[in-house]
Amino acid sequence: MGKYQISGGVRQSALKIVVYGPEGIGKTTFSACFPNPVFIDTEGSTKFFDIKRFPDPSSWEMLLDEVQDVVDNPTLCDTLVVDTLDWAERLCIKEVCESNRKKGIEDFGYGKGYTYTYEAFAKLLHKLDDVSNNGVNVVVNAHAMLRKFEQPDEMGSYDRWELKLINSPKANICGMVKEWADMVIFANYKTYVVAADKDGKKHKAQGGKRIMNMNHNPCWDAKNRFGFMDEMDFNYNDIS
């Protein structure tokens, strides 16, 4: 008989979800559809929404303290939403610089500022783990940005959508957040290019339908552990 008891089957738990995309795509509206949400608004983007929210955090410590309040009082909500993560990163950078008496993150030299920020930011994800472990869903919104990407085994490079977070070799907050999440949803506008003349020499863009990409693609980061199709309408009811 082994030292540890082995269990089987699916383990029910709260979810950790990242939703990212360009500004105005509807990330806040989408997140507000989750069960009984409470928002931590780091950028002032929820002021026109009829939702429950914490006071806007004015510092990194205040943001961590608000998350801790949900850890200590899990009945406050069924879903905690951080909107947005890249603006939370700004608070983290500011705290790291002020505590080390630096004017900017580049003033540290040798990439140390990014390393300190990476270590500090990990504290937020650990606290959000505690929220999830207490049965409260966690949804974090973030903006998207295009980055030049080069495959080590391929010639040339191409643009791809990623989280608008620090992505340096020794302090990859972008990668850490993706690993932390159960689901990474990339929301974007689907645009069709059609011929604008009978000869097919001129083209124009049509459409602009809002979609969410649920699985990894060379052009964007996404993942899910629930077997969702690659592309779906950007509609909460489709994943509820």
Side-chain angles (χ1 to χ4, degrees):
M1 187 174 182
K3 181 178 179 180
Y4 297 99
Q5 181 179 357
I6 298 175
S7 62
V10 177
R11 294 170 58 186
Q12 297 296 326
S13 66
L15 299 180
K16 300 179 293 186
I17 299 175
V18 174
V19 182
Y20 79 107
E23 63 278 359
I25 190 70
K27 299 182 291 293
T28 302
T29 301
F30 182 82
S31 302
C33 295
F34 279 80
N36 188 25
V38 169
F39 280 67
I40 298 178
D41 185 352
T42 61
E43 63 170 51
S45 61
T46 68
K47 57 187 175 182
F48 299 116
F49 289 82
D50 183 14
I51 57 172
K52 296 187 295 183
R53 61 176 71 81
F54 281 94
D56 296 350
S58 57
S59 67
W60 178 245
E61 288 302 321
M62 183 176 177
L63 171 60
L64 294 179
D65 194 51
E66 289 180 343
V67 176
Q68 185 63 47
D69 196 27
V70 180
V71 175
D72 296 337
N73 303 280
T75 58
L76 287 174
C77 59
D78 295 320
T79 305
L80 176 64
V81 183
V82 180
D83 192 7
T84 61
L85 209 58
D86 39 300
W87 280 66
E89 185 186 72
R90 295 187 186 189
L91 293 175
C92 186
I93 292 172
K94 182 181 178 182
E95 169 66 22
V96 168
C97 292
E98 289 180 350
S99 62
N100 289 277
R101 299 181 181 179
K102 302 291 185 181
K103 292 183 179 179
I105 194 170
E106 296 289 350
D107 292 346
F108 288 87
Y110 303 103
K112 289 184 179 178
Y114 294 99
T115 301
Y116 294 153
T117 303
Y118 178 89
E119 293 170 351
F121 202 87
K123 295 180 181 178
L124 172 61
L125 296 185
H126 291 324
K127 284 187 179 292
L128 293 175
D129 275 335
D130 292 339
V131 172
S132 175
N133 291 336
N134 282 351
V136 177
N137 298 309
V138 178
V139 178
V140 294
N141 293 334
H143 293 99
M145 68 178 296
L146 281 170
R147 281 196 177 102
K148 190 69 69 177
F149 185 78
E150 186 171 349
Q151 290 276 23
D153 56 346
E154 298 288 344
M155 296 291 291
S157 59
Y158 56 91
D159 290 335
R160 71 193 307 266
W161 289 101
E162 290 187 355
L163 294 163
K164 192 177 179 181
L165 297 167
I166 291 173
N167 185 3
S168 62
K170 295 182 179 180
N172 192 346
I173 293 178
C174 179
M176 178 170 59
V177 170
K178 289 184 292 184
E179 292 174 5
W180 165 86
D182 297 316
M183 185 187 301
V184 178
I185 298 173
F186 172 51
N188 203 2
Y189 300 97
K190 185 168 186 176
T191 304
Y192 304 89
V193 178
V194 297
D197 64 346
K198 63 180 181 180
D199 297 323
K201 295 181 179 180
K202 296 181 180 180
H203 298 82
K204 63 180 180 180
Q206 284 187 350
K209 177 182 178 182
R210 300 182 188 199
I211 61 168
M212 53 184 174
N213 298 283
M214 309 298 290
N215 293 295
H216 178 79
N217 184 283
C219 296
W220 57 75
D221 285 319
K223 74 174 186 180
N224 81 89
R225 295 170 176 165
F226 309 102
F228 288 122
M229 63 182 68
D230 292 345
E231 180 184 302
M232 304 170 67
D233 290 342
F234 191 34
N235 186 337
Y236 171 76
N237 290 332
D238 290 344
I239 67 166
S240 61

